[in-house]
């Protein structure tokens, strides 16, 4: 979420303001901090968040002073945007997570990780039989790789059907068009 491309997605696909904050040691010096931000509007007013999707988008800062400066600027942006709160997404163990009394920590997201063995065969043996059968069946099929913007609607239909089956709302069509 720190890449400028996500800022483009937020602005073009979702018409969000995306004030990414960048801290430098001096005006033209090296970058010492980044805080990607998105203004998300909702019926209760909205919020300022550091990530569009998932639990990622933590503040990156060289030290506590830079982190505090980024947070102070985020507070000013939230007030100017008239949003109800700021949601900073990050991962456990973030050493610069804002834990000052003015900030409330809420663990509302879950991140699943799976350690992968270095040996591909060990990974293969770790799959259940039905997964290995499905992979072998797919390998026997003749597949054709196609690309192009004219296929985005078909891709979206497949993606949306699978996400709905999993109980997850799909991204909007404008999201895919912006990525393409």
């Amino acid at each position: 979420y720190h890449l400028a491309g996500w800022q483009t997605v937020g602005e073009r696909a979702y018409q969000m303001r995306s004030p990414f904050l960048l801290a430098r040691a001096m005006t033209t010096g090296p970058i010492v901090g980044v805080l990607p931000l998105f203004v998300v509007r909702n019926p209760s007013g909205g919020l300022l968040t550091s990530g569009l999707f998932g639990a990622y988008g933590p503040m990156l800062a060289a030290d506590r002073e830079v982190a505090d400066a980024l947070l102070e600027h985020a507070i000013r942006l939230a007030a100017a945007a008239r949003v109800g709160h700021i949601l900073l997404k990050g991962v456990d163990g973030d050493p610069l997570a804002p834990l000052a009394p003015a900030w409330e920590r809420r663990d509302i997201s879950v991140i699943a990780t799976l350690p992968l063995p270095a040996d591909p065969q060990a990974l293969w043996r770790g799959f259940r039989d039905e997964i290995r059968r499905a992979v072998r069946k797919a390998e026997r099929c003749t597949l054709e790789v196609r690309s192009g913007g004219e296929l985005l609607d078909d891709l979206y239909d497949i993606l949306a059907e699978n996400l709905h089956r999993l109980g997850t709302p799909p991204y909007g069509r404008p999201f895919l068009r912006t990525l393409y």
Side-chain angles (χ1 to χ4, degrees), residues 59-81:
M59 172 178 45
L60 302 176
D63 56 39
R64 187 78 240 172
E65 182 181 351
V66 171
D68 288 343
L70 288 169
L71 291 173
E72 287 172 19
H73 198 85
I75 291 168
R76 289 193 300 275
L77 285 172

Side-chain angles (χ1 to χ4, degrees), residues 117 119-129 131-136 139:
D119 176 24
Q121 289 304 315
L123 178 64
W124 178 251
R125 287 188 303 271
F127 289 142
R128 297 184 320 241
D129 289 342
I131 292 175
R132 289 197 303 267
R133 273 194 298 276
V135 169
R136 287 186 188 112
E139 287 174 338

Side-chain angles (χ1 to χ4, degrees), residues 66-108:
V66 171
D68 288 343
L70 288 169
L71 291 173
E72 287 172 19
H73 198 85
I75 291 168
R76 289 193 300 275
L77 285 172
R82 294 191 171 116
V83 296
H85 62 278
I86 299 172
L87 174 62
L88 298 178
K89 296 181 177 184
V91 294
D92 284 343
D94 179 2
L96 297 174
L99 298 176
W103 294 87
E104 178 183 341
R105 181 182 176 113
R106 291 186 183 176
D107 294 322
I108 59 174

Side-chain angles (χ1 to χ4, degrees), residues 7-177:
Q7 184 178 31
T8 301
V9 169
E11 291 172 351
R12 289 187 188 165
Y14 296 108
Q15 290 75 51
M16 294 177 175
R17 281 191 49 242
S18 313
F20 276 35
L21 302 182
L22 184 68
R24 292 187 178 272
M26 296 177 290
T27 305
T28 59
I31 296 170
V32 294
V34 177
L35 180 55
L37 294 171
F38 302 90
V39 179
V40 179
R41 296 285 176 202
N42 61 32
S44 65
L47 65 116
L48 190 61
T49 183
S50 65
L52 282 177
F53 311 108
Y56 305 100
M59 172 178 45
L60 302 176
D63 56 39
R64 187 78 240 172
E65 182 181 351
V66 171
D68 288 343
L70 288 169
L71 291 173
E72 287 172 19
H73 198 85
I75 291 168
R76 289 193 300 275
L77 285 172
R82 294 191 171 116
V83 296
H85 62 278
I86 299 172
L87 174 62
L88 298 178
K89 296 181 177 184
V91 294
D92 284 343
D94 179 2
L96 297 174
L99 298 176
W103 294 87
E104 178 183 341
R105 181 182 176 113
R106 291 186 183 176
D107 294 322
I108 59 174
S109 299
V110 175
I111 300 169
T113 60
L114 175 65
L116 298 176
D119 176 24
Q121 289 304 315
L123 178 64
W124 178 251
R125 287 188 303 271
F127 289 142
R128 297 184 320 241
D129 289 342
E130 57 267 22
I131 292 175
R132 289 197 303 267
R133 273 194 298 276
V135 169
R136 287 186 188 112
K137 182 178 178 182
E139 287 174 338
R140 289 190 297 270
C141 294
T142 304
L143 300 176
E144 177 185 340
V145 176
R146 297 179 5 198
S147 64
E150 70 278 1
L151 301 171
L152 283 177
D153 285 330
D154 294 333
L155 171 64
Y156 182 82
D157 292 341
I158 294 167
L159 176 66
E161 181 180 324
N162 281 291
L163 289 174
H164 278 302
R165 194 182 60 225
L166 295 170
T168 302
Y171 308 119
R173 288 180 197 269
F175 173 79
L176 286 182
R177 286 190 184 103

